[in-house]
Amino acid sequence: MCGRFTLTATKGTLQEQFSLPFPEFTPNYNVAPSQQILAIVSGGNEKKAGFLHWGLVPSWAKDKKIGYKMINARSETLDEKPAFKRLLSRRRCLIPADGFYEWKREDDGKTKQPFRITIGNGQLFTFAGLWDKWRTEEEEYFSCTIITTKPNQLMESIHDRMPVILEGDDQDIWLNKDIEDKHILKNILNPYDANNMSAYPVSTLVNNPRNNNEACIDPLS
């Protein structure tokens, strides 16, 4: 799964990498579900960046509390689940990050050690996501979910799932509204190359989302 991540880059760095204007935001060392997170969507013929709540609330939901149960979506069953299959063809997004956390269960079966996983030399990347709009007479609520897949060789020793990470042409395919073929779309939702990933243990500070500072990403000494 993916239940925490980091986005410590500046607005300028994001705008340079994605060639898009971004809203003002505060670097986040411990992004948690229910928070508003930056995302990139296709708006008409253009891409645009904005905020979505992390935890998908389908348009047909009776209560937005369902979002707490939908922070992730399994890539293998996107085209089968009622909450996701419509969004796969119509409402896809990219979620910028520069790292994510996962917890490894220790040999005692009780303790969990948090790890931070990064790409390359700590470069920016994007998760594949889906988004939806939930509306009542009083409120419009835009939310998203992060897609997960089976682990690569690095991640399998830490957890049995990992987020789908997209780069380059795959990012363009994912945001191309003209592409609706589920086979094309699901074909790019693969485990990221383990040779370009690193993982290191971090403090249990990250267990509490109220802790949000550089100490969260510092390697354990």
Side-chain angles (χ1 to χ4, degrees):
M1 64 178 295
C2 178
R4 285 307 161 71
F5 67 92
T6 64
L7 181 58
T8 66
T10 65
K11 175 182 174 180
T13 300
L14 282 165
Q15 292 184 154
E16 181 178 358
Q17 175 151 337
F18 297 107
S19 301
L20 290 172
F22 275 78
E24 295 293 336
F25 72 96
T26 301
N28 197 328
Y29 297 88
N30 198 2
V31 185
S34 80
Q35 295 179 2
Q36 286 200 356
I37 62 175
L38 283 174
I40 302 169
V41 302
S42 290
N45 296 321
E46 298 180 347
K47 300 173 186 175
K48 59 182 181 180
F51 290 102
L52 299 170
H53 289 89
W54 184 13
L56 186 80
V57 180
S59 60
W60 42 260
K62 294 181 179 180
D63 191 325
K64 66 182 181 183
K65 290 180 181 178
I66 194 175
Y68 291 103
K69 300 178 180 180
M70 293 193 176
I71 64 169
N72 291 155
R74 296 176 69 93
S75 62
E76 297 89 341
T77 56
L78 288 178
D79 54 339
E80 302 170 13
K81 301 294 185 180
F84 307 133
K85 61 182 181 181
R86 173 179 56 89
L87 306 181
L88 179 60
S89 63
R90 297 175 54 192
R91 290 183 168 173
R92 303 184 297 271
C93 64
L94 295 172
I95 298 163
D98 52 23
F100 64 95
Y101 298 110
E102 194 53 80
W103 282 256
K104 178 180 180 179
R105 190 176 296 278
E106 301 287 29
D107 293 339
D108 62 11
K110 299 178 181 180
T111 309
K112 289 186 177 181
Q113 171 61 53
F115 281 77
R116 183 172 183 245
I117 297 92
T118 58
I119 304 300
N121 294 318
Q123 68 198 51
L124 276 167
F125 57 88
T126 58
F127 300 124
L130 302 173
W131 70 275
D132 207 352
K133 177 172 67 174
W134 181 80
R135 181 166 53 190
T136 66
E137 292 182 358
E138 298 81 24
E139 181 182 12
E140 279 191 336
Y141 189 85
F142 296 85
S143 61
C144 65
T145 186
I146 293 174
I147 298 171
T148 66
T149 186
K150 61 184 180 181
N152 59 23
Q153 291 177 318
L154 174 74
M155 288 299 302
E156 64 185 4
S157 64
I158 301 173
H159 200 272
D160 61 358
R161 302 291 293 176
M162 67 177 291
V164 172
I165 295 170
L166 299 181
E167 291 184 318
D169 292 343
D170 288 343
Q171 291 176 333
D172 294 333
I173 290 172
W174 192 247
L175 288 186
N176 188 336
K177 298 186 76 171
D178 293 331
I179 298 176
E180 298 186 2
D181 188 314
K182 67 179 183 180
H183 300 292
I184 294 175
L185 295 167
K186 291 184 68 176
N187 192 51
I188 65 173
L189 303 178
N190 302 307
Y192 189 78
D193 183 3
N195 294 318
N196 195 37
M197 296 181 73
S198 300
Y200 63 89
V202 295
S203 167
T204 53
L205 281 172
V206 302
N207 293 359
N208 188 335
R210 287 177 292 188
N211 296 323
N212 185 359
N213 52 53
E214 291 186 18
C216 292
I217 67 173
D218 287 342
L220 282 182
S221 58

